[in-house]
Amino acid sequence: MLFRIVLVVRVLSSLAIAASQELNFNFTYSGFRSTNLSLDGLAELTSNGLLRLTNETKQRTGHAFYPNPVTFKNSINSTALTFSTTFVFAIIPEYATLGSHGIAFVIAPTRGLPGALPSQYLGLFNETNNGNQTNHVVAVELDTIYSSEFNDINDNHVGIDINGLESGRSASAGY
Ligand SMILES: *[C@@H]1O[C@H](CO)[C@@H](O)[C@H](O)[C@H]1NC(C)=O
Ligand SMILES: *[C@@H]1O[C@H](CO)[C@@H](O)[C@H](O)[C@H]1NC(C)=O
Ligand SMILES: *[C@@H]1O[C@H](CO)[C@@H](O)[C@H](O)[C@H]1NC(C)=O
Ligand SMILES: *[C@@H]1O[C@H](CO)[C@@H](O)[C@H](O)[C@H]1NC(C)=O
Ligand SMILES: *[C@@H]1O[C@H](CO)[C@@H](O)[C@H](O)[C@H]1NC(C)=O
Ligand SMILES: *[C@@H]1O[C@H](CO)[C@@H](O)[C@H](O)[C@H]1NC(C)=O
């Protein structure tokens, strides 16, 4: 997740994964104070329990990872499980009329994305591993800048990114 000049605060988030009753897994955070999220970069918890991923320092990233592995495949028949997630967030750009890159919900094989760059790379990839199928990374980007190099549709969109920043599917943000 991340950006340039952006302050992001997630106040509540939840994840639910379901296929059959045995595989039902979910969690909800109503504030982050007593959670064990794995933070890196500029990410920190504020004194009132918000998760802030970046601050006013430019060209930096921050990540917050759920600390434990989460199973996304049925171990018996390898079917991918469905999941849903909800979170409340704010992206605060330096200039109200300009975006400041964005934030992404990410599923990664490791607790961290070493080498990931800020700005148009959204804290997910870099110029050498972008698009590489060995990344095994799936992300939903909330991107507030138009990056022609990744064929973005506009400067305010939601995109599904599989192993790279060129979204397989994207749609204009509803807000
Ligand atoms: C969360 O998982 C528990 C069992 O692990 C289940 O009892 C509960 O109904 C689940 N809640 C949701 C919202 O899926
Ligand atoms: C966080 O980690 C500590 C030490 O591993 C553990 O005692 C505590 O129960 C964990 N808290 C949560 C909410 O998982
Ligand atoms: C952002 O956070 C970093 C790391 O905590 C800190 O060094 C830096 O001074 C902060 N930047 C601003 C503008 O507060
Ligand atoms: C895999 O197993 C789950 C339940 O464990 C079942 O719901 C699903 O239909 C199965 N998928 C296939 C392709 O057999
Ligand atoms: C890009 O990220 C990969 C994977 O983390 C890392 O091995 C590589 O060194 C990074 N490349 C650059 C140019 O930072
Ligand atoms: C993708 O990454 C793997 C492992 O890091 C590397 O061996 C391979 O050369 C990369 N592929 C491309 C097309 O860069």
Side-chain angles (χ1 to χ4, degrees):
M1 317 179 185
L2 293 325
F3 21 82
R4 197 172 70 183
I5 335 168
V6 181
L7 192 78
V8 164
V9 183
R10 278 210 229 164
V11 290
L12 178 141
S13 73
S14 70
L15 178 73
I17 298 176
S20 63
Q21 220 130 36
E22 313 87 74
L23 292 162
N24 193 343
F25 169 81
N26 59 67
F27 61 83
T28 299
Y29 292 140
S30 302
F32 295 93
R33 209 191 307 256
S34 55
T35 61
N36 281 345
L37 290 175
S38 176
L39 305 180
D40 68 38
L42 296 184
E44 63 176 5
L45 299 184
T46 65
S47 56
N48 56 356
L50 302 180
L51 169 61
R52 185 166 70 194
L53 292 171
T54 58
N55 60 22
E56 291 82 357
T57 299
K58 299 183 186 189
Q59 305 284 338
R60 296 290 302 275
T61 65
H63 298 108
F65 278 87
Y66 184 72
N68 308 315
V70 175
T71 301
F72 280 93
K73 267 189 172 180
N74 177 330
S75 60
I76 298 160
N77 61 19
S78 290
T79 308
L81 308 183
T82 59
F83 69 93
S84 65
T85 180
T86 305
F87 50 95
V88 177
F89 65 94
I91 296 176
I92 305 170
E94 184 175 11
Y95 304 105
T97 53
L98 290 176
S100 299
H101 287 290
I103 182 174
F105 168 78
V106 62
I107 301 171
T110 51
R111 196 178 355 176
L113 291 164
L117 296 176
S119 299
Q120 72 270 34
Y121 292 96
L122 295 173
L124 295 171
F125 306 108
N126 60 41
E127 71 269 31
T128 51
N129 71 1
N130 184 47
N132 193 322
Q133 294 192 354
T134 64
N135 291 334
H136 299 296
V137 166
V138 177
V140 178
E141 60 167 48
L142 307 178
D143 190 350
T144 65
I145 294 219
Y146 169 69
S147 298
S148 58
E149 68 192 289
F150 303 132
N151 289 318
D152 281 356
I153 54 167
N154 62 22
D155 62 0
N156 189 21
H157 58 273
V158 179
I160 298 175
D161 299 348
I162 300 177
N163 298 321
L165 287 149
E166 187 160 339
S167 302
R169 293 275 191 285
S170 52
S172 294
Y175 176 78

